[in-house]
């Protein structure tokens, strides 16, 4: 059985020392430490992810030095719904529901520009060299109803 420690606090230099102390103390209580890229479910702009990765970097490095596996949980690949839109990716082709409505914070999974965005988003976190990257998203719902997705489905 895999035991996972997930951080429920925002990373900062103030709590790195406390985290390290607890990880040393309870090292045999879990198998890996998992970091979430964000706390909301809308797709964030690349600059947000670059900043997030830089905040996570020292934690991953310290945890790896302790011999503990690390993971990154990419909270929103195509997004779930409109939430905390201040850092949301702008000018992306939106995800279209079957009723024709577009949702801010959720992007079309088949749009070429969005696919390039997604690739870069995952590269940002892959450069941290975690042991695993989790896709924590509603990618099971790839049923975007935009004209392009409907055309691909039809063909």
């Amino acid at each position: 059985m895999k035991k996972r420690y997930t951080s429920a606090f925002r990373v900062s230099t103030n709590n790195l020392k406390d985290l390290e102390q607890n990880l040393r103390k309870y090292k045999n209580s879990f198998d890996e430490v998992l970091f979430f890229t964000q706390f909301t479910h809308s797709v964030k702009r690349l600059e947000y992810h670059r900043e997030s990765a830089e905040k996570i970097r020292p934690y991953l490095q310290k945890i790896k030095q302790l011999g503990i596996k690390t993971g990154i949980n990419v909270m929103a690949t195509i997004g779930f719904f409109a939430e905390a839109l201040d850092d949301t990716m702008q000018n992306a082709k939106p995800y279209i529901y079957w009723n024709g409505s577009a949702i801010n914070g959720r992007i079309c999974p088949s749009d070429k520009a969005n696919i390039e965005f997604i690739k870069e988003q995952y590269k940002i976190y892959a450069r941290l060299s975690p042991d695993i990257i989790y896709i924590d998203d509603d990618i099971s719902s790839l049923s975007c109803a935009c004209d392009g997705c409907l055309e691909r489905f039809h063909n």
Side-chain angles (χ1 to χ4, degrees):
M1 176 173 80
K2 187 170 280 273
K3 298 166 285 200
R4 186 170 294 129
Y5 177 91
T6 58
S7 88
F9 57 88
R10 297 193 186 275
V11 295
S12 72
T13 55
N14 297 338
N15 56 22
L16 178 56
K17 187 175 179 179
D18 290 339
L19 177 62
E20 179 184 3
Q21 187 176 32
N22 285 327
L23 292 175
R24 286 183 189 280
K25 185 175 180 180
Y26 302 108
K27 186 175 179 182
N28 295 324
S29 299
F30 48 86
D31 299 317
E32 68 184 25
V33 175
L34 178 65
F35 291 92
F36 287 79
T37 58
Q38 61 195 63
F39 289 95
T40 60
H41 298 88
S42 294
V43 175
K44 301 293 186 187
R45 57 190 169 75
L46 288 177
E47 188 55 37
Y48 176 96
H49 290 291
R50 288 184 189 102
E51 292 169 6
S52 176
E54 287 310 308
K55 290 176 185 175
I56 293 170
R57 181 181 305 283
Y59 287 82
L60 253 64
Q61 291 171 342
K62 181 59 72 176
I63 292 164
K64 284 181 171 276
Q65 289 172 0
L66 296 172
I68 301 169
K69 290 186 177 190
T70 60
I72 302 285
N73 183 313
V74 178
M75 180 68 92
T77 302
I78 65 168
F80 291 87
F81 45 79
E83 176 185 37
L85 298 176
D86 53 324
D87 283 321
T88 302
M89 182 181 164
Q90 302 296 315
N91 303 318
K93 183 174 181 183
Y95 182 99
I96 305 296
Y97 285 102
W98 291 102
N99 67 4
S101 65
I103 298 297
N104 289 330
R106 189 166 192 181
I107 62 175
C108 170
S110 300
D111 179 70
K112 289 182 178 166
N114 289 351
I115 291 169
E116 291 305 311
F117 165 84
I118 292 166
K119 287 180 186 178
E120 184 58 30
Q121 178 187 21
Y122 277 84
K123 285 178 186 178
I124 289 168
Y125 294 107
R127 289 182 193 113
L128 296 175
S129 300
D131 295 293
I132 191 163
I133 296 178
Y134 293 90
I135 301 171
D136 184 359
D137 209 332
D138 190 9
I139 61 171
S140 63
S141 178
L142 295 178
S143 55
C144 176
C146 72
D147 291 341
C149 287
L150 289 176
E151 180 68 27
R152 274 188 293 288
F153 177 76
H154 176 72
N155 293 326

